[in-house]
Short mmCIF file of all heavy atoms in Angstrom, two decimals:
data_model
loop_
_atom_site.label_atom_id
_atom_site.label_comp_id
_atom_site.label_asym_id
_atom_site.label_seq_id
_atom_site.Cartn_x
_atom_site.Cartn_y
_atom_site.Cartn_z
N PHE A 1 -15.12 57.76 -262.92
CA PHE A 1 -14.72 58.39 -261.67
C PHE A 1 -15.83 59.20 -261.03
O PHE A 1 -15.96 59.22 -259.81
CB PHE A 1 -13.51 59.29 -261.90
CG PHE A 1 -12.18 58.60 -261.78
CD1 PHE A 1 -11.39 58.42 -262.89
CD2 PHE A 1 -11.73 58.13 -260.56
CE1 PHE A 1 -10.16 57.77 -262.80
CE2 PHE A 1 -10.51 57.49 -260.45
CZ PHE A 1 -9.72 57.31 -261.57
N MET A 2 -16.61 59.90 -261.85
CA MET A 2 -17.54 60.88 -261.30
C MET A 2 -18.99 60.45 -261.33
O MET A 2 -19.84 61.06 -260.68
CB MET A 2 -17.39 62.21 -262.04
CG MET A 2 -15.99 62.79 -261.96
SD MET A 2 -15.90 64.48 -262.57
CE MET A 2 -16.88 65.32 -261.32
N GLY A 3 -19.31 59.39 -262.07
CA GLY A 3 -20.69 58.95 -262.13
C GLY A 3 -21.11 58.19 -260.89
O GLY A 3 -20.28 57.81 -260.05
N ASP A 4 -22.41 57.96 -260.76
CA ASP A 4 -22.89 57.17 -259.64
C ASP A 4 -22.69 55.69 -259.96
O ASP A 4 -22.14 55.32 -261.01
CB ASP A 4 -24.34 57.49 -259.31
CG ASP A 4 -25.28 57.23 -260.49
OD1 ASP A 4 -25.02 56.29 -261.27
OD2 ASP A 4 -26.27 57.97 -260.63
N ALA A 5 -23.14 54.83 -259.07
CA ALA A 5 -22.86 53.40 -259.19
C ALA A 5 -23.37 52.80 -260.50
O ALA A 5 -22.80 51.84 -261.02
CB ALA A 5 -23.49 52.65 -258.01
N GLY A 6 -24.44 53.37 -261.04
CA GLY A 6 -25.01 52.78 -262.25
C GLY A 6 -24.60 53.43 -263.55
O GLY A 6 -24.92 52.91 -264.63
N ASP A 7 -23.90 54.58 -263.49
CA ASP A 7 -23.59 55.32 -264.71
C ASP A 7 -22.73 54.51 -265.69
O ASP A 7 -23.03 54.42 -266.89
CB ASP A 7 -22.87 56.63 -264.38
CG ASP A 7 -23.84 57.73 -264.01
OD1 ASP A 7 -25.06 57.50 -264.12
OD2 ASP A 7 -23.39 58.81 -263.60
N ALA A 8 -21.65 53.93 -265.18
CA ALA A 8 -20.76 53.17 -266.07
C ALA A 8 -21.48 51.96 -266.64
O ALA A 8 -21.29 51.61 -267.82
CB ALA A 8 -19.51 52.73 -265.30
N ALA A 9 -22.31 51.31 -265.82
CA ALA A 9 -23.05 50.14 -266.30
C ALA A 9 -24.03 50.53 -267.40
O ALA A 9 -24.14 49.85 -268.42
CB ALA A 9 -23.80 49.50 -265.14
N ARG A 10 -24.74 51.64 -267.18
CA ARG A 10 -25.73 52.06 -268.18
C ARG A 10 -25.07 52.45 -269.50
O ARG A 10 -25.58 52.14 -270.57
CB ARG A 10 -26.54 53.23 -267.64
CG ARG A 10 -27.59 52.87 -266.60
CD ARG A 10 -28.52 54.02 -266.33
NE ARG A 10 -27.83 55.18 -265.75
CZ ARG A 10 -27.66 55.36 -264.45
NH1 ARG A 10 -28.10 54.45 -263.59
NH2 ARG A 10 -27.03 56.43 -264.00
N ARG A 11 -23.95 53.12 -269.42
CA ARG A 11 -23.32 53.64 -270.63
C ARG A 11 -22.40 52.63 -271.31
O ARG A 11 -22.23 52.67 -272.53
CB ARG A 11 -22.53 54.91 -270.31
CG ARG A 11 -23.37 56.13 -269.96
CD ARG A 11 -22.46 57.29 -269.57
NE ARG A 11 -23.18 58.48 -269.19
CZ ARG A 11 -23.32 59.57 -269.94
NH1 ARG A 11 -22.80 59.59 -271.16
NH2 ARG A 11 -23.98 60.62 -269.51
N TYR A 12 -21.77 51.75 -270.52
CA TYR A 12 -20.65 50.96 -271.06
C TYR A 12 -20.75 49.46 -270.83
O TYR A 12 -19.82 48.74 -271.15
CB TYR A 12 -19.33 51.46 -270.47
CG TYR A 12 -18.99 52.87 -270.90
CD1 TYR A 12 -19.21 53.94 -270.04
CD2 TYR A 12 -18.47 53.14 -272.16
CE1 TYR A 12 -18.90 55.24 -270.42
CE2 TYR A 12 -18.16 54.43 -272.56
CZ TYR A 12 -18.39 55.48 -271.69
OH TYR A 12 -18.08 56.76 -272.06
N MET A 13 -21.86 48.96 -270.29
CA MET A 13 -21.94 47.55 -269.94
C MET A 13 -21.69 46.64 -271.14
O MET A 13 -20.98 45.64 -271.05
CB MET A 13 -23.31 47.23 -269.31
CG MET A 13 -23.43 45.78 -268.84
SD MET A 13 -22.13 45.32 -267.65
CE MET A 13 -22.62 46.32 -266.24
N SER A 14 -22.24 46.96 -272.29
CA SER A 14 -22.06 46.12 -273.47
C SER A 14 -21.07 46.71 -274.47
O SER A 14 -21.01 46.27 -275.62
CB SER A 14 -23.41 45.90 -274.16
OG SER A 14 -23.98 47.13 -274.54
N ASP A 15 -20.30 47.70 -274.02
CA ASP A 15 -19.34 48.37 -274.90
C ASP A 15 -17.99 47.65 -274.79
O ASP A 15 -17.33 47.70 -273.74
CB ASP A 15 -19.20 49.84 -274.47
CG ASP A 15 -18.33 50.65 -275.43
OD1 ASP A 15 -17.55 50.04 -276.18
OD2 ASP A 15 -18.43 51.89 -275.39
N ASN A 16 -17.56 47.02 -275.85
CA ASN A 16 -16.31 46.27 -275.83
C ASN A 16 -15.12 47.07 -276.38
O ASN A 16 -14.05 46.52 -276.62
CB ASN A 16 -16.46 44.97 -276.63
CG ASN A 16 -17.37 43.97 -275.91
OD1 ASN A 16 -17.27 43.82 -274.68
ND2 ASN A 16 -18.25 43.33 -276.65
N SER A 17 -15.31 48.37 -276.55
CA SER A 17 -14.21 49.22 -276.98
C SER A 17 -13.24 49.44 -275.82
O SER A 17 -13.52 49.11 -274.66
CB SER A 17 -14.75 50.58 -277.45
OG SER A 17 -15.27 51.31 -276.35
N ILE A 18 -12.09 50.04 -276.13
CA ILE A 18 -11.12 50.39 -275.08
C ILE A 18 -11.77 51.33 -274.08
O ILE A 18 -11.58 51.20 -272.86
CB ILE A 18 -9.87 51.04 -275.70
CG1 ILE A 18 -9.12 50.04 -276.58
CG2 ILE A 18 -8.95 51.57 -274.62
CD1 ILE A 18 -8.46 48.92 -275.82
N ALA A 19 -12.56 52.27 -274.58
CA ALA A 19 -13.24 53.21 -273.68
C ALA A 19 -14.17 52.48 -272.72
O ALA A 19 -14.25 52.80 -271.53
CB ALA A 19 -14.01 54.24 -274.49
N GLY A 20 -14.90 51.49 -273.23
CA GLY A 20 -15.79 50.72 -272.37
C GLY A 20 -15.05 49.99 -271.28
O GLY A 20 -15.46 49.98 -270.11
N HIS A 21 -13.92 49.37 -271.62
CA HIS A 21 -13.11 48.67 -270.62
C HIS A 21 -12.54 49.66 -269.59
O HIS A 21 -12.43 49.34 -268.41
CB HIS A 21 -11.97 47.92 -271.31
CG HIS A 21 -12.42 46.69 -272.05
ND1 HIS A 21 -12.88 45.56 -271.41
CD2 HIS A 21 -12.49 46.42 -273.38
CE1 HIS A 21 -13.22 44.64 -272.30
NE2 HIS A 21 -12.99 45.14 -273.52
N TYR A 22 -12.19 50.85 -270.06
CA TYR A 22 -11.65 51.90 -269.19
C TYR A 22 -12.68 52.28 -268.12
O TYR A 22 -12.38 52.29 -266.92
CB TYR A 22 -11.32 53.12 -270.05
CG TYR A 22 -10.30 54.09 -269.52
CD1 TYR A 22 -9.42 53.77 -268.49
CD2 TYR A 22 -10.18 55.35 -270.11
CE1 TYR A 22 -8.46 54.68 -268.06
CE2 TYR A 22 -9.23 56.27 -269.70
CZ TYR A 22 -8.38 55.93 -268.67
OH TYR A 22 -7.44 56.83 -268.24
N ALA A 23 -13.89 52.58 -268.57
CA ALA A 23 -14.94 52.98 -267.63
C ALA A 23 -15.25 51.88 -266.63
O ALA A 23 -15.42 52.13 -265.43
CB ALA A 23 -16.21 53.35 -268.41
N ARG A 24 -15.30 50.62 -267.09
CA ARG A 24 -15.66 49.53 -266.19
C ARG A 24 -14.55 49.24 -265.18
O ARG A 24 -14.83 48.91 -264.02
CB ARG A 24 -16.00 48.27 -267.01
CG ARG A 24 -17.32 48.40 -267.76
CD ARG A 24 -17.80 47.05 -268.26
NE ARG A 24 -16.90 46.47 -269.25
CZ ARG A 24 -16.96 46.72 -270.55
NH1 ARG A 24 -17.86 47.56 -271.03
NH2 ARG A 24 -16.10 46.14 -271.39
N ALA A 25 -13.28 49.36 -265.60
CA ALA A 25 -12.18 49.15 -264.65
C ALA A 25 -12.24 50.18 -263.53
O ALA A 25 -12.06 49.85 -262.35
CB ALA A 25 -10.84 49.23 -265.38
N ILE A 26 -12.49 51.44 -263.89
CA ILE A 26 -12.58 52.50 -262.89
C ILE A 26 -13.78 52.26 -261.97
O ILE A 26 -13.69 52.42 -260.74
CB ILE A 26 -12.67 53.88 -263.58
CG1 ILE A 26 -11.37 54.17 -264.34
CG2 ILE A 26 -12.93 54.99 -262.56
CD1 ILE A 26 -11.47 55.34 -265.30
N ALA A 27 -14.90 51.87 -262.57
CA ALA A 27 -16.10 51.61 -261.78
C ALA A 27 -15.88 50.43 -260.83
O ALA A 27 -16.35 50.44 -259.68
CB ALA A 27 -17.28 51.34 -262.70
N ASP A 28 -15.16 49.39 -261.29
CA ASP A 28 -14.86 48.25 -260.42
C ASP A 28 -14.05 48.70 -259.21
O ASP A 28 -14.32 48.30 -258.07
CB ASP A 28 -14.08 47.18 -261.19
CG ASP A 28 -14.98 46.32 -262.07
OD1 ASP A 28 -16.19 46.25 -261.79
OD2 ASP A 28 -14.47 45.74 -263.04
N ASN A 29 -13.04 49.52 -259.44
CA ASN A 29 -12.22 50.00 -258.32
C ASN A 29 -13.04 50.85 -257.37
O ASN A 29 -12.91 50.74 -256.15
CB ASN A 29 -11.03 50.80 -258.86
CG ASN A 29 -10.08 51.21 -257.74
OD1 ASN A 29 -9.44 50.38 -257.12
ND2 ASN A 29 -9.99 52.51 -257.50
N LYS A 30 -13.88 51.70 -257.94
CA LYS A 30 -14.73 52.57 -257.11
C LYS A 30 -15.68 51.75 -256.24
O LYS A 30 -16.01 52.15 -255.12
CB LYS A 30 -15.51 53.51 -258.04
CG LYS A 30 -16.23 54.64 -257.34
CD LYS A 30 -16.84 55.57 -258.37
CE LYS A 30 -17.59 56.71 -257.71
NZ LYS A 30 -18.19 57.61 -258.74
N ALA A 31 -16.10 50.60 -256.76
CA ALA A 31 -17.03 49.74 -256.02
C ALA A 31 -16.31 48.77 -255.07
O ALA A 31 -16.94 47.94 -254.44
CB ALA A 31 -17.89 48.95 -256.99
N GLY A 32 -14.98 48.86 -254.99
CA GLY A 32 -14.22 47.99 -254.09
C GLY A 32 -13.84 46.66 -254.67
O GLY A 32 -13.38 45.78 -253.94
N ARG A 33 -14.03 46.49 -255.97
CA ARG A 33 -13.66 45.23 -256.63
C ARG A 33 -12.23 45.35 -257.17
O ARG A 33 -12.01 45.49 -258.39
CB ARG A 33 -14.66 44.90 -257.73
CG ARG A 33 -16.10 44.70 -257.23
CD ARG A 33 -17.03 44.25 -258.35
NE ARG A 33 -17.28 45.29 -259.32
CZ ARG A 33 -18.28 46.17 -259.26
NH1 ARG A 33 -19.13 46.14 -258.24
NH2 ARG A 33 -18.44 47.09 -260.21
N LEU A 34 -11.27 45.33 -256.27
CA LEU A 34 -9.89 45.65 -256.64
C LEU A 34 -9.31 44.68 -257.66
O LEU A 34 -8.66 45.10 -258.63
CB LEU A 34 -9.00 45.69 -255.39
CG LEU A 34 -7.52 45.97 -255.65
CD1 LEU A 34 -7.33 47.34 -256.29
CD2 LEU A 34 -6.72 45.86 -254.35
N GLU A 35 -9.49 43.39 -257.45
CA GLU A 35 -8.88 42.42 -258.36
C GLU A 35 -9.45 42.56 -259.78
O GLU A 35 -8.70 42.47 -260.76
CB GLU A 35 -9.07 41.00 -257.83
CG GLU A 35 -8.33 40.75 -256.52
CD GLU A 35 -6.85 41.17 -256.58
OE1 GLU A 35 -6.17 40.86 -257.59
OE2 GLU A 35 -6.38 41.83 -255.64
N GLN A 36 -10.76 42.79 -259.88
CA GLN A 36 -11.34 43.01 -261.20
C GLN A 36 -10.79 44.30 -261.81
O GLN A 36 -10.52 44.37 -263.02
CB GLN A 36 -12.87 43.09 -261.12
CG GLN A 36 -13.54 41.79 -260.73
CD GLN A 36 -13.84 41.73 -259.23
OE1 GLN A 36 -12.97 42.02 -258.40
NE2 GLN A 36 -15.06 41.35 -258.91
N ALA A 37 -10.64 45.33 -260.98
CA ALA A 37 -10.11 46.60 -261.47
C ALA A 37 -8.68 46.45 -261.98
O ALA A 37 -8.33 46.97 -263.05
CB ALA A 37 -10.17 47.66 -260.36
N LEU A 38 -7.85 45.71 -261.22
CA LEU A 38 -6.47 45.50 -261.64
C LEU A 38 -6.40 44.67 -262.92
O LEU A 38 -5.57 44.93 -263.80
CB LEU A 38 -5.68 44.82 -260.52
CG LEU A 38 -5.37 45.70 -259.30
CD1 LEU A 38 -4.76 44.87 -258.19
CD2 LEU A 38 -4.43 46.84 -259.68
N ALA A 39 -7.27 43.68 -263.02
CA ALA A 39 -7.32 42.88 -264.25
C ALA A 39 -7.72 43.75 -265.44
O ALA A 39 -7.17 43.62 -266.54
CB ALA A 39 -8.31 41.72 -264.08
N GLY A 40 -8.66 44.67 -265.20
CA GLY A 40 -9.06 45.59 -266.25
C GLY A 40 -7.92 46.51 -266.66
O GLY A 40 -7.72 46.77 -267.86
N ALA A 41 -7.18 47.02 -265.67
CA ALA A 41 -6.04 47.88 -265.97
C ALA A 41 -4.98 47.12 -266.76
O ALA A 41 -4.40 47.65 -267.71
CB ALA A 41 -5.46 48.45 -264.68
N ASP A 42 -4.73 45.88 -266.36
CA ASP A 42 -3.74 45.06 -267.09
C ASP A 42 -4.17 44.81 -268.53
O ASP A 42 -3.34 44.81 -269.45
CB ASP A 42 -3.53 43.73 -266.37
CG ASP A 42 -2.67 43.87 -265.12
OD1 ASP A 42 -1.89 44.84 -265.04
OD2 ASP A 42 -2.81 43.02 -264.21
N ALA A 43 -5.46 44.61 -268.74
CA ALA A 43 -5.97 44.40 -270.11
C ALA A 43 -5.79 45.66 -270.95
O ALA A 43 -5.44 45.59 -272.13
CB ALA A 43 -7.44 43.99 -270.06
N LEU A 44 -6.02 46.81 -270.33
CA LEU A 44 -5.82 48.07 -271.04
C LEU A 44 -4.35 48.26 -271.41
O LEU A 44 -4.03 48.67 -272.52
CB LEU A 44 -6.29 49.24 -270.16
CG LEU A 44 -7.81 49.34 -269.94
CD1 LEU A 44 -8.11 50.32 -268.81
CD2 LEU A 44 -8.51 49.79 -271.22
N ILE A 45 -3.45 47.95 -270.47
CA ILE A 45 -2.02 48.07 -270.73
C ILE A 45 -1.58 47.13 -271.84
O ILE A 45 -0.78 47.49 -272.71
CB ILE A 45 -1.22 47.81 -269.44
CG1 ILE A 45 -1.44 48.97 -268.44
CG2 ILE A 45 0.26 47.63 -269.73
CD1 ILE A 45 -0.93 48.69 -267.04
N LYS A 46 -2.14 45.93 -271.83
CA LYS A 46 -1.79 44.96 -272.89
C LYS A 46 -2.24 45.48 -274.26
O LYS A 46 -1.54 45.31 -275.27
CB LYS A 46 -2.45 43.62 -272.59
CG LYS A 46 -2.08 42.54 -273.60
CD LYS A 46 -2.71 41.19 -273.21
CE LYS A 46 -2.33 40.10 -274.22
NZ LYS A 46 -2.94 38.79 -273.85
N ALA A 47 -3.40 46.14 -274.29
CA ALA A 47 -3.92 46.66 -275.55
C ALA A 47 -3.13 47.87 -276.04
O ALA A 47 -2.91 48.03 -277.24
CB ALA A 47 -5.40 47.03 -275.40
#
């Protein structure tokens, strides 16, 4: 939520943990990639 455009990528791009998926879903929404963000949220809910 609070990092710049590259923060989530730098910290979590190759992180396959739940936390990594969380950061990337939020970053996708922040960047206007709604469908990817919703898919990420659905994956988190499934987990």
Side-chain angles (χ1 to χ4, degrees):
F1 272 112
M2 301 191 67
D4 59 34
D7 277 355
R10 285 191 297 271
R11 290 176 181 255
Y12 294 101
M13 183 57 69
S14 59
D15 187 340
N16 290 318
S17 68
I18 295 291
H21 287 291
Y22 203 17
R24 289 195 295 274
I26 295 167
D28 280 338
N29 185 66
K30 191 174 179 181
R33 298 185 291 269
L34 178 62
E35 295 310 315
Q36 293 96 312
L38 288 172
D42 284 336
L44 291 167
I45 290 168
K46 183 177 180 180

